[in-house]
């Protein structure tokens, strides 16, 4: 970046900070903060680990529109009535947080949602202390890590999938030496890994480097474990193929409401790549599905509802209605 470009970038960052104000900007320095949400009533809400969602301040429509225009400028695009959405990673000064915003007529008023990258790692021991998992579930996850099982973490938006993956990554990192190489693929830098032999890749879809291309590139980076931030679209097929090429001990997240739905959705995503159902490939690749969900009645705001071991066998279908019980570890033959 030359001097003129740097000056222009600095002005943009200063304008962004002035619009957001000190209260919102301070959230980016809070390691417990997870999400910043602006609703169409102008309320700015913040979700933090351990304290749920609180009302922070209000942001006028005019400031929101200006901020969305600045974000669009940073992303090299525009936001108009004909193109009412702007999304992507924010500047480094805002932690490359994941941003999505929209204006009328798509919304009644301009809104945005900012997903902050994890800066504080909660270990699996912390999960036990907070009652999110019990000791048997803790032992099951640790054993899966030791045995290099492929783990799929499933849950709804905001359920805590990434935080749980970081806890599992912490368990992996504690046991990994230089001889175990981890390659991470993600949209934004949300995964935290302290393993001594780690390489991290970020998607750059503006240049065509999406999950599918990075997964293929990953195989040339001598991975022992391949960690994916989120499985989506036809990249699921490339993920499963990568998991089945002699790289056990993988980890990924997926949006789904229960372990069975996770396997179904994984199959549906594979079919988006133009292939027939991939039940056999899924049975070979996925060893463990961990389901996490939000729970306002739980002191931690979320809980693990199922840990299912996926075993190969004669029965060809995991696509059955779930009959899981809370906090009970069980195996289902596929």
């Amino acid at each position: 970046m030359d001097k003129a470009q740097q000056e222009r970038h600095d002005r943009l960052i200063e304008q962004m900070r002035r619009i957001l104000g000190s209260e919102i900007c301070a959230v980016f320095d809070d390691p417990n903060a997870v999400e910043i949400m602006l609703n169409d009533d102008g309320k700015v809400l913040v979700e933090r680990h351990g304290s749920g969602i609180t009302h922070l301040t209000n942001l006028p429509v005019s400031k929101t529109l200006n901020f969305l225009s600045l974000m669009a400028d940073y992303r090299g695009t525009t936001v108009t009535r004909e193109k009412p959405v702007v999304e992507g990673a924010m500047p480094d000064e805002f932690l490359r947080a994941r941003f999505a915003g929209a204006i009328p007529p798509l919304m009644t008023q301009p809104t945005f949602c900012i997903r902050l990258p994890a800066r504080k790692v909660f270990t699996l021991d912390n999960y036990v202390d907070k009652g999110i998992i019990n000791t048997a579930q803790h032992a099951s996850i640790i054993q899966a890590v030791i045995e290099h099982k492929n783990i799929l973490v499933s849950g709804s938006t905001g359920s805590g999938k990434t935080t749980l993956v970081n806890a599992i990554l912490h368990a992996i990192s504690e046991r990994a030496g230089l001889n175990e190489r981890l390659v991470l693929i993600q949209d934004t830098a949300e995964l935290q890994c302290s393993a001594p032999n780690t390489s991290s890749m970020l998607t750059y879809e503006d240049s065509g480097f999406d999950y599918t291309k990075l997964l293929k590139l990953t195989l040339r980076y001598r991975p022992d474990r391949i960690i994916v931030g989120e499985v989506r679209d036809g990249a699921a097929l490339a993920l499963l193929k990568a998991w089945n090429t002699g790289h056990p001990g993988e980890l990924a997240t997926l949006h789904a409401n229960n372990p069975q739905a996770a396997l179904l959705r994984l199959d549906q995503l594979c079919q988006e790549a133009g292939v027939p159902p991939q039940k056999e490939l899924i049975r070979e690749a996925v060893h463990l599905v961990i389901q996490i969900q939000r729970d306002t009645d739980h002191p931690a705001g979320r809980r693990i509802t199922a840990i299912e071991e996926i075993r190969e066998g004669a029965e060809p279908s995991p696509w059955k209605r779930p009959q899981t019980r809370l906090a009970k570890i069980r195996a289902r033959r596929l």
Side-chain angles (χ1 to χ4, degrees), residues 294-311:
R294 299 172 67 93
D295 184 352
T296 55
D297 294 328
H298 194 286
R302 50 189 43 84
R303 60 189 173 92
I304 302 293
T305 58
I307 298 180
E308 289 211 21
E309 184 180 355
I310 310 302
R311 294 178 179 172

Side-chain angles (χ1 to χ4, degrees), residues 233-276:
D233 61 47
L237 181 63
L239 173 76
L240 292 174
K241 287 182 176 180
W243 281 15
N244 272 347
T245 53
H247 305 96
E250 324 298 19
L251 188 58
T253 71
L254 180 77
H255 284 85
N257 293 326
N258 57 65
Q260 290 75 28
L263 299 179
L264 267 174
R265 185 156 190 269
L266 194 57
D267 193 17
Q268 291 165 352
L269 292 175
C270 286
Q271 291 176 56
E272 289 185 20
V275 298

Side-chain angles (χ1 to χ4, degrees), residues 107-168:
M107 311 291 287
T108 58
Q109 296 291 343
T111 60
F112 62 69
C113 189
I114 301 171
R115 179 64 183 269
L116 299 168
R119 287 149 293 164
K120 183 177 181 180
V121 174
F122 289 84
T123 68
L124 291 175
D125 288 341
N126 295 146
Y127 274 71
V128 174
D129 293 340
K130 291 181 176 293
I132 300 174
I133 61 176
N134 57 38
T135 53
Q137 291 172 324
H138 178 278
S140 176
I141 296 172
I142 293 297
Q143 191 62 31
V145 166
I146 293 172
E147 294 179 359
H148 283 70
K149 301 282 188 176
N150 295 336
I151 302 173
L152 190 63
V153 176
S154 169
S156 61
T157 300
S159 59
K161 296 186 298 296
T162 302
T163 305
L164 178 56
V165 165
N166 278 330
I168 298 172

Side-chain angles (χ1 to χ4, degrees), residues 271-283:
Q271 291 176 56
E272 289 185 20
V275 298
Q278 297 293 308
K279 296 178 183 179
E280 292 293 336
L281 183 61
I282 291 170
R283 277 204 299 275

Side-chain angles (χ1 to χ4, degrees), residues 22-325:
S22 58
E23 283 186 288
I24 299 177
C25 286
V27 177
F28 288 88
D29 297 323
D30 183 352
N32 289 315
V34 177
E35 204 118 22
I36 303 171
M37 298 158 280
L38 171 67
N39 291 339
D40 47 17
D41 59 3
K43 290 182 179 178
V44 178
L45 309 179
V46 177
E47 181 179 7
R48 294 181 173 87
H49 287 298
S51 58
I53 298 175
T54 57
H55 176 211
L56 180 67
T57 184
N58 283 38
L59 202 61
V61 169
S62 58
K63 285 191 173 183
T64 304
L65 287 171
N66 286 339
F67 189 81
L68 288 171
S69 294
L70 291 172
M71 262 304 299
D73 181 53
Y74 172 72
R75 297 296 306 174
T77 185
T78 58
V79 56
T80 64
R81 289 182 63 86
E82 293 72 31
K83 194 176 180 181
V85 175
V86 57
E87 57 185 341
M90 296 183 73
D92 290 344
E93 291 83 353
F94 293 96
L95 310 178
R96 289 187 57 82
R98 190 167 62 196
F99 182 91
I103 65 171
L106 194 63
M107 311 291 287
T108 58
Q109 296 291 343
T111 60
F112 62 69
C113 189
I114 301 171
R115 179 64 183 269
L116 299 168
R119 287 149 293 164
K120 183 177 181 180
V121 174
F122 289 84
T123 68
L124 291 175
D125 288 341
N126 295 146
Y127 274 71
V128 174
D129 293 340
K130 291 181 176 293
I132 300 174
I133 61 176
N134 57 38
T135 53
Q137 291 172 324
H138 178 278
S140 176
I141 296 172
I142 293 297
Q143 191 62 31
V145 166
I146 293 172
E147 294 179 359
H148 283 70
K149 301 282 188 176
N150 295 336
I151 302 173
L152 190 63
V153 176
S154 169
S156 61
T157 300
S159 59
K161 296 186 298 296
T162 302
T163 305
L164 178 56
V165 165
N166 278 330
I168 298 172
L169 268 175
H170 179 268
I172 292 173
S173 298
E174 285 186 320
R175 293 160 175 80
L178 286 174
N179 289 327
E180 187 169 19
R181 179 168 173 76
L182 279 68
V183 179
L184 282 58
I185 302 176
Q186 50 191 321
D187 280 331
T188 54
E190 295 181 306
L191 300 180
Q192 304 292 311
C193 183
S194 58
N197 188 353
T198 302
S199 184
S200 183
M201 299 180 180
L202 295 174
T203 60
Y204 188 36
E205 295 189 9
D206 292 345
S207 296
F209 286 95
D210 56 11
Y211 270 106
T212 299
K213 287 192 176 180
L214 288 185
L215 279 162
K216 292 177 180 178
L217 177 62
T218 295
L219 298 180
R220 297 184 176 90
Y221 267 65
R222 198 230 170 264
D224 291 299
R225 294 181 188 256
I226 301 171
I227 315 298
V228 175
E230 180 184 338
V231 186
R232 61 170 182 269
D233 61 47
L237 181 63
L239 173 76
L240 292 174
K241 287 182 176 180
W243 281 15
N244 272 347
T245 53
H247 305 96
E250 324 298 19
L251 188 58
T253 71
L254 180 77
H255 284 85
N257 293 326
N258 57 65
Q260 290 75 28
L263 299 179
L264 267 174
R265 185 156 190 269
L266 194 57
D267 193 17
Q268 291 165 352
L269 292 175
C270 286
Q271 291 176 56
E272 289 185 20
V275 298
Q278 297 293 308
K279 296 178 183 179
E280 292 293 336
L281 183 61
I282 291 170
R283 277 204 299 275
E284 293 174 7
V286 180
H287 302 140
L288 199 72
V289 180
I290 304 175
Q291 186 70 33
I292 186 168
Q293 72 176 42
R294 299 172 67 93
D295 184 352
T296 55
D297 294 328
H298 194 286
R302 50 189 43 84
R303 60 189 173 92
I304 302 293
T305 58
I307 298 180
E308 289 211 21
E309 184 180 355
I310 310 302
R311 294 178 179 172
E312 293 185 52
E315 172 58 44
S317 177
W319 288 262
K320 298 179 180 178
R321 294 185 63 82
Q323 299 177 353
T324 58
R325 293 185 196 172

